[in-house]
Amino acid sequence: MSSFRHIANGIIDSVKAVILKDGTAAYPYDGIGGLYSGARKEIFKRTLGLDSAFQGNHQLIKQVAPLLGIKLIDDMNIYQQVLGNVYGSGLHVYAYLQQALAAYGEETAKDEADRVMRHASLYFVDSLWGDVYAFVWGAGRDRVFFDTEFPRMGIEAASLITHLAKSRDIETVNDGSIMDIRKLHKHHAIETAFRLVCINGLDVLHRLAWNTKLAEIKSIHGDAQELYMLDLSLAFKDVYKELTNPNVSRREIEQLHYKMNRKDFDARRMPRHCGTPEGRLSRKEASMLHFITMTTPRPTTLTIQNNTGRSLKR
């Protein structure tokens, strides 16, 4: 074993110890869980949010969580006692391993921190039941995207779909039936299942914005939709491969794919609509203006009688 790997292994053992003590990785928990994963680098570079104002998936779900009663891994003992405060150092796992493995280089430290988070994340997913909300637009396919300044869920897209599909206790993901994900997983249509999770997540945000009439939620929806559109433009060929795979029955895949295409077409989310950053910004601003206009209370018209008996309107 490489001489440095025992450090990350020790943190993983600490996570396991907390789970053993609590009886689950999701504690305290009452059936509404949240997952998040950072956008892959090639997606992030194409967004409008190259400055600190841009909302990534972790920031997005943290803002929405109180409104939907979502519990994140951040709320669990495995994070509060270990991952977010390794050995009482006050450092989250990424910062801790950056210091502990400084002699081995930054990339090694990141890889080891990512390995710890992957283990913890999958324990967390396996503990979930009931309703799950997954904010994973643009998540990495071949590896976890991580940021040394902000820890993110260590779940790859394929692992996420596999664990969701195999869980017997999860009923819905982003308010959509878990059965649709299981059907796609059965046919190894991972990209299509991942797309379904993302589309349903956008619908959750859209409904939440209009139900709460909060401009902040509408802004979150705009950021999430941009991440999704850019990701779809890169993953569209992989989805097509799944649809044309001669070794699987395509009926269930095609039915869901048609529904998703229809939703994306109606919402102008297809790859053809990605356009330039300036064009996307213009659309987001126009959408926000429409939202504010439609949700702002209008002044009511009051009819009163003046002392002459004539009606006046205000």
Side-chain angles (χ1 to χ4, degrees):
M1 179 182 292
S2 299
S3 58
F4 60 79
R5 292 179 68 86
H6 72 280
I7 299 178
N9 288 342
I11 301 174
I12 291 173
D13 288 340
S14 296
V15 169
K16 292 179 179 178
V18 173
I19 294 173
L20 182 63
K21 179 181 177 182
D22 290 345
T24 175
Y27 178 88
Y29 181 68
D30 57 1
I32 307 178
L35 309 174
Y36 56 88
S37 182
R40 44 186 167 150
K41 293 181 180 179
E42 61 265 43
I43 298 291
F44 225 69
K45 290 178 180 178
R46 298 189 185 192
T47 67
L48 297 171
L50 296 181
D51 55 30
S52 59
F54 183 74
Q55 298 291 287
N57 286 326
H58 187 206
Q59 297 98 314
L60 300 187
I61 199 169
K62 286 189 72 173
Q63 293 180 72
V64 171
L67 297 174
L68 295 175
I70 296 171
K71 291 290 187 179
L72 305 173
I73 193 173
D74 310 43
D75 304 311
M76 301 298 123
N77 287 342
I78 57 173
Y79 189 92
Q80 296 178 1
Q81 295 179 19
V82 181
L83 302 172
N85 184 24
V86 180
Y87 300 135
S89 64
L91 301 174
H92 58 68
V93 64
Y94 288 93
Y96 181 87
L97 289 176
Q98 283 291 333
Q99 292 187 12
L101 299 178
Y104 295 93
E106 183 176 344
E107 287 302 314
T108 296
K110 288 179 180 179
D111 287 343
E112 286 297 281
D114 180 59
R115 184 165 66 88
V116 172
M117 284 302 295
R118 181 181 293 109
H119 275 80
S121 299
L122 296 181
Y123 290 140
F124 181 56
V125 175
D126 288 341
S127 299
L128 298 181
W129 54 269
D131 304 319
V132 173
Y133 291 91
F135 283 27
V136 292
W137 299 283
R141 305 302 199 272
D142 58 339
R143 59 175 303 186
V144 178
F145 173 86
F146 44 74
D147 184 333
T148 57
E149 295 179 356
F150 211 79
R152 300 172 186 270
M153 283 288 286
I155 296 182
E156 299 167 356
S159 294
L160 171 69
I161 296 301
T162 297
H163 278 71
L164 290 176
K166 290 186 176 181
S167 173
R168 295 184 178 182
D169 300 319
I170 294 175
E171 298 174 4
T172 69
V173 178
N174 289 342
D175 290 347
S177 172
I178 189 66
M179 295 306 297
D180 288 336
I181 294 176
R182 288 175 182 159
K183 289 176 184 177
L184 293 170
H185 183 266
K186 179 181 66 176
H187 296 305
H188 307 288
I190 302 301
E191 278 293 335
T192 306
F194 182 74
R195 183 182 171 196
L196 178 63
V197 169
C198 292
I199 283 180
N200 286 342
L202 291 176
D203 288 346
V204 167
L205 290 178
H206 185 265
R207 289 192 298 270
L208 187 63
W210 286 96
N211 289 340
T212 61
K213 297 180 172 57
L214 293 175
E216 295 85 353
I217 305 302
K218 179 60 179 174
S219 178
I220 289 173
H221 176 261
D223 284 344
Q225 181 156 291
E226 182 178 7
L227 281 174
Y228 170 72
M229 289 172 65
L230 293 170
D231 183 59
L232 182 59
S233 67
L234 294 175
F236 210 70
K237 291 182 179 179
D238 293 326
V239 172
Y240 180 75
K241 288 179 182 178
E242 291 181 348
L243 290 170
T244 56
N245 185 347
N247 298 319
V248 299
S249 172
R250 298 197 302 270
R251 183 176 179 183
E252 291 175 332
I253 301 177
E254 289 172 344
Q255 288 176 338
L256 285 169
H257 183 67
Y258 174 79
K259 291 180 181 179
M260 288 187 277
N261 273 358
R262 183 70 185 184
K263 278 190 176 183
D264 281 345
F265 182 81
D266 291 343
R268 298 182 66 204
R269 292 194 298 245
M270 300 297 282
R272 73 186 76 169
H273 295 126
C274 286
T276 64
E278 293 76 15
R280 295 198 302 274
L281 176 60
S282 177
R283 284 181 53 195
K284 289 169 72 174
E285 289 176 339
S287 179
M288 178 64 80
L289 178 61
H290 173 72
F291 175 81
I292 293 174
T293 301
M294 297 301 293
T295 57
T296 299
R298 293 172 174 78
T300 57
T301 301
L302 300 178
T303 302
I304 61 175
Q305 297 287 329
N306 67 2
N307 57 8
T308 67
R310 299 175 63 183
S311 296
L312 298 177
K313 290 185 177 181
R314 291 185 178 178

